Amino acid sequence: MASPTSLLKRLLLGRPFRSDRLQHTLLPKRIALPVFASDALSSVAYAPDEILLTLSIAGASAYVFSPWIALAVVVVMLTVVASYRQNVHAYPSGGGDYEVATVNLGPKFGIGVASALLVDYVLTVAVSVSSGVANLGSVVPFVATHKVMIAVVAVVLLTAVNLRGLRESGTAFAIPTYGFVIVIGGMLVTGLVRVFVLGDELRAPSADLVIQAEHSVTGFALVFLLLRTFSSGAAALTGVEAISNGVPAFKAPKSRNAATTLLLLGTIAVSLLVGIIALARLTHLQFVEDPALQIVSGPDGYVQKTVTTQLGEAVFGSGSILLYVVAGMTALILFLAANTAFNGFPVLGSILAQDRFLPRQFHTRGDRLAFSNGILFLAAFAIVLIVGFQAEVTRLIQLYIVGVFVSFTVSQAGMIRHWNRHLKTERDPEARRRMHRSRAINAFGMGLTGTVLVIVLITKFLLGAWIAIAAMAVIYLVMLAIRRHYDRIAEELTPPDQGRAVLPARNHAIVLVSKLHQPTLRAIAYARATRPDTLTAVTVNVDEKDTRDLQEEWERRELPVPLTVVDSPYREITRPILDFVANTRRESPRDVVTVFIPEYVVGHWWENFLHNQSALRLKTRLLFEPGVMVTSVPWQLASTANKDLDRLDATLSRGPARGPRVVPRSTLPPSVPLAVPVPPGESAPTGGDRG
């Protein structure tokens, strides 16, 4: 029977995939779009909220600037999409901004971009899920009162789905993503048709509210407010870079499919953003930063609803089933938008681990061929942010987009150097024209995103952006430290170019004894079979009677190995053995000591708590002793007889248990012998029978 942990893992994640199934997890464009673009598509659900609530600081009259702010965001988004299409074609390996910066600007710029992206991915999960809870809470009061708990549960569910593998998560997210585009697009078309074709007067639920400005905003203050509004609306650009980081997940031709998906993403996101802002102006929608302070006259117990929910009520009517569909699909896409980060963060973490800037565990794929460690790490930190900021989108959004615009700007600078380098060697006129055009696009993109970055830093630094900047700095320093550690260890472990390894002068074998039972006798027999220079058995005297009984039994059996008793007046086991081992090796630095530890092999997980605890502590401490080798000598208890190892192997490999792989003789040189299976009862063939 499998352990409860294994059963739970199989239930949640499914059966493991073989490594050769990796090609089956690659994504076509129709699945890649919702997988990698759900973040950028869903940001149109909260970017309009941030634009309007920031403008509300100056009063309702400031809403007149909202179309111009949206237009500025659209210009930046189209520029970034055009720039990243160049990145995708030039660097299809999946490193994205990190690879572009590292190759063209150097490793320090690369890890600077990587630290910014890692922080931004974590914030993507926290902001998207929190915004989804806010939208759902607009129509379901229970959600509004338990938003932190529901947000955490949503992150846990997203983690479980992504741990099952990329292809399965992509299929699961395709329907909601396309459903959101259809529902919101249908709402916008219906609203615009009713206004311009049918002549209906649509009014949002908040249209008749009287709101007041928080501050009198004129002159420079108004300019600063508009810049802050633009920086908040620029949250709509988050997620665009995920496609360039996820090119390896596309089906061939990878670069072309990724570039097409990027273009589709930009077109859909721009259309939805412009449509929502336009319909909000036509319905006189109002959305404020502090309803309790800014709303002068309104109904008792008024609860401010999100922009998309108010538009749904204006277009379809209060209580309409379509209103609940709009709110539900908006909340769902915001929950699933975090999937962009769940796909981008682990891939980037794997690349960084391969380059030795993160622990190597981030480079390892799990049972379902997903980068499980990266997924779990991302989920844990996102939950910390959600709980720490109480799932408040307005508070989290201040930390947002700093990282993504850092990566945008540095990446475009790297692409300019990339094209400059290739133009020095390229002689084909047509190719040079394409490179000049691409360089111009990237140069314009760098200038525009750099300007936005400066605006974001100026307008949001004191509002919380400093936290994101500090986190980037910490991650940057940690990655440098990890790389220095790996480099130092690699240098230490590199064998010399000349000379052979120094052999140990003598091998002293020590068998640890607690009782004289079958595991101890097996350990002694195995230690003798290794033919050490010296061999002794060691026991620690923590109980006088038990020690005397052990000595008497030892003498009665006439064992050919001397028994050494180490005194322990304070009844400690580990320290006396460590001192004995150190004294044994102290006579010569070229001597080694091999410690044999008898251990029980148990059949049930709970038996581990009852056995081998002293052995585990000893092994852990002995590993830090120079010149000491530790050998575990297993003794299988009767409970292991219930283990069907063949069945366990078959389950893990999703097929029958297999023996050694047979290599055809035709593929081997004549000098290579083949192993011949020996039927029961027959002797193995001699050298003359090989072949």
Side-chain angles (χ1 to χ4, degrees):
M1 294 292 291
S3 67
T5 304
S6 298
L7 290 175
L8 180 61
K9 183 179 180 182
R10 294 284 77 81
L11 178 65
L12 294 177
L13 306 183
R15 293 180 179 274
F17 284 158
R18 291 166 52 93
S19 296
D20 55 16
R21 285 282 306 274
L22 183 60
Q23 291 297 321
H24 297 284
T25 65
L26 298 181
L27 306 176
K29 293 191 293 293
R30 67 180 185 279
I31 301 297
L33 180 63
V35 167
F36 291 107
S38 56
D39 177 24
L41 292 177
S42 68
S43 62
V44 301
Y46 55 79
D49 296 38
E50 296 304 316
I51 291 174
L52 295 178
L53 72 84
T54 307
L55 288 174
S56 72
I57 296 174
S61 61
Y63 288 143
V64 70
F65 294 107
S66 59
W68 301 104
I69 298 295
L71 181 61
V73 172
V74 166
V75 170
V76 177
M77 177 174 285
L78 293 178
T79 302
V80 170
V81 168
S83 299
Y84 270 85
R85 282 170 58 86
Q86 317 309 313
N87 292 35
V88 164
H89 287 298
Y91 293 92
S93 59
D97 295 339
Y98 166 70
E99 183 178 2
V100 172
T102 301
V103 171
N104 297 289
L105 302 176
K108 291 187 177 180
F109 282 93
I111 61 174
V113 167
S115 63
L117 285 173
L118 292 176
V119 171
D120 200 70
Y121 280 136
V122 176
L123 284 166
T124 295
V125 177
V127 171
S128 297
V129 172
S130 299
S131 183
V133 171
N135 275 271
L136 193 59
S138 295
V139 293
V140 183
F142 175 81
V143 175
T145 56
H146 300 83
K147 57 184 180 181
V148 175
M149 178 191 70
I150 293 175
V152 170
V153 171
V155 173
V156 172
L157 292 177
L158 283 169
T159 304
V161 171
N162 277 275
L163 287 173
R164 293 188 68 90
L166 183 64
R167 183 62 179 267
E168 291 194 21
S169 65
T171 304
F173 296 154
I175 296 176
T177 303
Y178 286 126
F180 168 77
V181 173
I182 293 171
V183 168
I184 299 299
M187 178 189 71
L188 296 176
V189 170
T190 302
L192 295 175
V193 168
R194 288 187 61 184
V195 172
F196 292 109
V197 177
L198 302 180
D200 295 343
E201 183 181 0
L202 301 182
R203 296 188 68 81
S206 60
D208 298 322
L209 297 177
V210 177
I211 67 173
Q212 65 178 2
E214 289 187 36
H215 308 284
S216 177
V217 180
T218 58
F220 178 78
L222 178 61
V223 173
F224 185 84
L225 178 65
L226 293 178
L227 292 176
R228 178 182 163 189
T229 304
F230 168 72
S231 65
S232 296
L237 277 77
T238 56
V240 174
E241 81 290 345
I243 291 179
S244 66
N245 293 332
V247 176
F250 284 80
K251 284 189 173 181
K254 296 178 182 293
S255 295
R256 189 172 68 185
N257 286 338
T260 303
T261 304
L262 194 56
L263 182 60
L264 289 172
L265 156 67
T267 303
I268 296 173
V270 164
S271 301
L272 294 180
L273 177 63
V274 171
I276 290 175
I277 291 295
L279 194 57
R281 291 292 298 143
L282 292 172
T283 58
H284 307 284
L285 185 147
Q286 300 183 103
F287 194 80
V288 300
E289 185 177 40
D290 189 350
L293 178 65
Q294 292 180 262
I295 296 178
V296 178
S297 64
D300 294 336
Y302 174 76
V303 177
Q304 180 171 255
K305 299 178 180 179
T306 60
V307 170
T308 53
T309 304
Q310 290 193 52
L311 291 179
E313 188 170 339
V315 173
F316 300 120
S318 178
S320 170
I321 186 64
L322 292 177
L323 168 62
Y324 289 95
V325 172
V326 169
M329 292 304 297
T330 303
L332 185 58
I333 187 62
L334 284 164
F335 286 139
L336 302 185
N339 187 62
T340 300
F342 274 105
N343 285 292
F345 184 100
V347 172
L348 179 59
S350 171
I351 295 171
L352 289 169
Q354 191 173 12
D355 292 344
R356 297 183 295 180
F357 288 114
L358 285 182
R360 290 172 180 165
Q361 290 84 346
F362 282 86
H363 185 55
T364 306
R365 291 184 183 269
D367 288 350
R368 305 284 290 185
L369 298 179
F371 295 109
S372 306
N373 293 324
I375 292 172
L376 294 173
F377 188 89
L378 171 64
F381 276 85
I383 289 174
V384 169
L385 280 178
I386 289 171
V387 175
F389 287 85
Q390 292 297 292
E392 290 289 346
V393 181
T394 303
R395 295 173 61 193
L396 286 168
I397 206 76
Q398 310 305 328
L399 285 68
Y400 209 17
I401 78 171
V402 177
V404 75
F405 274 98
V406 168
S407 64
F408 284 167
T409 306
V410 177
S411 172
Q412 300 316 303
M415 287 301 297
I416 294 173
R417 178 167 289 188
H418 166 83
W419 298 125
N420 289 339
R421 188 174 68 250
H422 282 272
L423 282 168
K424 292 179 180 178
T425 58
E426 183 60 56
R427 294 293 177 263
D428 181 52
E430 181 62 29
R432 288 182 64 85
R433 278 195 296 271
R434 288 197 301 268
M435 290 181 183
H436 279 295
R437 183 177 64 251
S438 297
R439 184 178 64 176
I441 293 173
N442 288 129
F444 183 74
M446 183 191 71
L448 194 56
T449 56
T451 302
V452 176
L453 176 60
V454 172
I455 293 172
V456 170
L457 291 175
I458 292 174
T459 59
K460 290 196 170 188
F461 185 82
L462 297 179
L463 296 175
W466 66 270
I467 300 176
I469 296 171
M472 294 174 204
V474 170
I475 294 174
Y476 180 90
L477 295 175
V478 168
M479 286 196 291
L480 281 180
I482 291 173
R483 177 59 187 261
R484 282 196 297 267
H485 169 79
Y486 278 135
D487 289 346
R488 185 174 64 252
I489 297 301
E491 183 179 356
E492 181 180 340
L493 300 181
T494 301
D497 294 333
Q498 296 179 348
R500 292 184 296 180
V502 179
L503 297 177
R506 291 183 299 174
N507 178 21
H508 305 283
I510 298 174
V511 180
L512 301 185
V513 178
S514 60
K515 295 180 180 179
L516 190 54
H517 44 30
Q518 293 196 69
T520 299
L521 295 177
R522 172 176 288 184
I524 292 173
Y526 181 68
R528 293 181 64 195
T530 62
R531 303 176 65 85
D533 294 283
T534 63
L535 173 60
T536 183
V538 175
T539 187
V540 179
N541 180 21
V542 294
D543 184 278
E544 292 288 348
K545 181 179 182 305
D546 290 343
T547 303
R548 284 197 302 270
D549 293 342
L550 175 63
Q551 289 176 309
E552 292 173 1
E553 180 69 9
W554 199 275
E555 293 175 358
R556 187 183 67 80
R557 289 181 175 270
E558 299 181 350
L559 295 176
V561 176
L563 175 65
T564 301
V565 179
V566 179
D567 194 29
S568 179
Y570 296 101
R571 300 161 303 284
E572 187 183 4
I573 296 177
T574 304
R575 174 49 57 186
I577 290 179
L578 293 176
D579 292 340
F580 182 84
V581 170
N583 289 332
T584 302
R585 187 175 177 273
R586 189 169 294 143
E587 298 177 3
S588 172
R590 286 185 55 192
D591 289 0
V592 297
V593 177
T594 303
V595 180
F596 296 86
I597 304 178
E599 288 191 56
Y600 303 135
V601 179
V602 299
H604 305 99
W605 63 270
W606 52 266
E607 291 180 287
N608 286 308
F609 296 104
L610 307 177
H611 303 286
N612 298 326
Q613 298 304 310
S614 297
L616 181 62
R617 288 195 300 271
L618 278 168
K619 283 196 295 184
T620 302
R621 296 294 299 275
L622 287 170
L623 289 175
F624 291 92
E625 296 294 328
V628 176
M629 317 299 170
V630 181
T631 301
S632 296
V633 183
W635 179 269
Q636 288 77 14
L637 296 177
S639 59
T640 61
N642 296 327
K643 288 281 187 182
D644 188 345
L645 298 182
D646 290 337
R647 179 181 177 184
L648 180 61
D649 289 340
T651 300
L652 294 178
S653 62
R654 300 193 67 206
R658 297 190 292 181
R661 181 183 177 189
V662 178
V663 181
R665 166 50 109 182
S666 59
T667 63
L668 296 176
S671 59
V672 177
L674 292 179
V676 180
V678 182
E682 297 185 14
S683 59
T686 61
D689 296 327
R690 292 176 184 168

